[in-house]
Amino acid sequence: MSFNLEQDLEAWRVAGLYRRRQTLDSPQGPEIMINGQHGLAFCSNDYLGLANHPDVIASFRQATDHYGLGGGASPLVVGHSRVHHRLEDELAEFTSRERALLFANGYMANLGVITALLGKQDGVFHDRLNHASLLDAGRLSGARFQRYLHNDVDNLDHRLQKTPARRKLIVTDGVFSMDGDVAPVKALSALAGQHRAWLMVDDAHGFGFLGATGGGVAEACGLDQQQLPVLVGTLGKAFGTYGAFVAGSDALIETLIQFARTYIYTTSLPPAVASATLTSLRLLREQHWRREHL
Ligand SMILES: Cc1ncc(COP(=O)(O)O)c(C=O)c1O
């Protein structure tokens, strides 16, 4: 069979599914230049306006003077710098977890975690509306793959009761990326406890602004490391930079360093991005401090 790409693309277009890119000529912000025109932006993930913040940019510049630009190697070779390490420590402290591990982006973090934790004898239970990276990771892991009805704890309970799986991982977005609703993480955590399952929350859209200090859905719902053992946050949205992290127990992070292929076999995040992210974190903390004390 030949690759009839033109025909497939035409069918895609006729079905109304064709995607087109818009071209940006300005920094992110409420007002942007797009396709040569001025516009108001309601669709960016730069929720706190940090992507173009002068302090964040200054940190990036300063760090390039010290470290240069590229990460240069996998974190397991010579790509893990002092500034990466400091960011991991601060993210762990910020999320009240034992440790955190940086990944190149959220897609890689999700692929890395789920494939490192699960294999053929295991079961992965996804909310139907989970982000594509989570669903792809579940399939790639080889675990028995199930999707429960959106935010439906009873439907999930029913599925968990019937599974013979060795390890059971419940996976959900924190704030759903398309609809903006929040997962019932407290109820999911309680259910996980009943079934000796683990809960994983991808809080790409909650991290940075939900919760009293911006700690995301885990903070907003008061879930500690035992109740929510696998917490994923991304840095390219509210934090305004790039990358992602997984936060959890020391044993979880060591497992990821040993087995997460998207951590081991890829170049580390540019150190200057880690430095800029430390500044985003500082700004977030200062803002909350001001709100509480002034
Ligand atoms: C819920 C969710 N998880 C993960 C990702 C991927 O994160 P990243 O853009 O850092 O790869 C996104 C969107 O990009 C997302 O919306």
Side-chain angles (χ1 to χ4, degrees):
M1 201 178 91
S2 68
F3 288 87
N4 210 334
L5 299 186
E6 289 81 3
Q7 193 180 313
D8 290 352
L9 284 169
E10 181 55 17
W12 193 242
R13 199 185 60 73
V14 169
L17 295 170
Y18 212 90
R19 300 172 196 263
R20 285 176 214 281
R21 297 176 298 171
Q22 319 295 325
T23 309
L24 187 73
D25 282 309
S26 65
Q28 294 294 342
E31 296 186 30
I32 53 172
M33 282 298 293
I34 191 116
N35 295 338
Q37 287 187 313
H38 179 257
L40 289 179
F42 291 96
C43 49
S44 153
N45 297 321
D46 177 28
Y47 301 126
L48 301 178
L50 291 174
N52 193 32
H53 192 289
D55 293 0
V56 177
I57 295 167
S59 299
F60 182 90
R61 287 207 177 109
Q62 277 164 19
T64 56
D65 288 344
H66 184 78
Y67 285 107
L69 190 52
S74 156
L76 293 189
V77 185
V78 285
H80 179 67
S81 69
R82 181 74 53 204
V83 71
H84 290 113
H85 205 82
R86 219 182 106 205
L87 178 59
E88 289 180 345
D89 285 348
E90 293 207 13
L91 287 168
E93 195 207 324
F94 185 62
T95 55
S96 305
R97 265 58 187 164
E98 279 169 22
R99 282 178 73 186
L101 188 72
L102 286 173
F103 280 77
N105 57 50
Y107 203 119
M108 299 247 245
N110 287 337
L111 280 194
V113 177
I114 295 179
T115 57
L117 292 179
L118 302 180
K120 280 200 180 84
Q121 303 152 287
D122 304 319
V124 61
F125 300 81
H126 280 282
D127 187 287
R128 271 198 78 242
L129 300 189
N130 273 353
H131 188 258
S133 56
L134 295 168
L135 300 173
D136 292 354
R139 292 203 180 91
L140 190 65
S141 72
R144 176 114 198 268
F145 181 93
Q146 297 200 41
R147 291 166 91 180
Y148 59 89
L149 298 177
H150 179 51
N151 280 347
D152 189 330
V153 180
D154 291 337
N155 184 253
L156 173 60
D157 187 18
H158 189 64
R159 289 165 185 273
L160 284 165
Q161 279 172 25
K162 291 200 295 196
T163 182
R166 178 189 67 153
R167 289 182 176 167
K168 291 158 259 187
L169 185 68
I170 301 167
V171 182
T172 183
D173 280 24
V175 176
F176 283 86
S177 55
M178 291 296 105
D179 298 298
D181 54 340
V182 181
V185 289
K186 259 192 140 151
L188 292 174
S189 168
L191 191 66
Q194 283 166 31
H195 290 277
R196 296 163 61 87
W198 266 19
L199 176 62
M200 168 174 172
V201 173
D202 170 2
D203 205 18
H205 296 273
F207 187 65
F209 70 89
L210 273 189
T213 68
V217 78
E219 186 186 24
C221 298
L223 293 183
D224 63 22
Q225 183 177 290
Q226 213 191 342
Q227 295 161 309
L228 171 45
V230 189
L231 177 62
V232 176
T234 60
L235 305 170
K237 303 188 195 307
F239 272 62
T241 60
Y242 191 69
F245 68 92
V246 180
S249 68
D250 183 47
L252 172 71
I253 300 305
E254 276 306 313
T255 300
L256 298 181
I257 293 173
Q258 304 309 317
F259 302 111
R261 297 172 68 80
T262 58
Y263 182 74
I264 301 167
Y265 298 108
T266 194
T267 303
S268 66
L269 202 63
V273 171
S275 180
T277 308
L278 278 165
T279 301
S280 295
L281 188 56
R282 176 177 60 74
L283 289 167
L284 193 73
R285 285 177 146 160
E286 282 173 5
Q287 204 178 46
H288 285 288
W289 188 90
R290 257 187 249 118
R291 203 176 292 162
E292 267 179 28
H293 293 88
L294 298 181

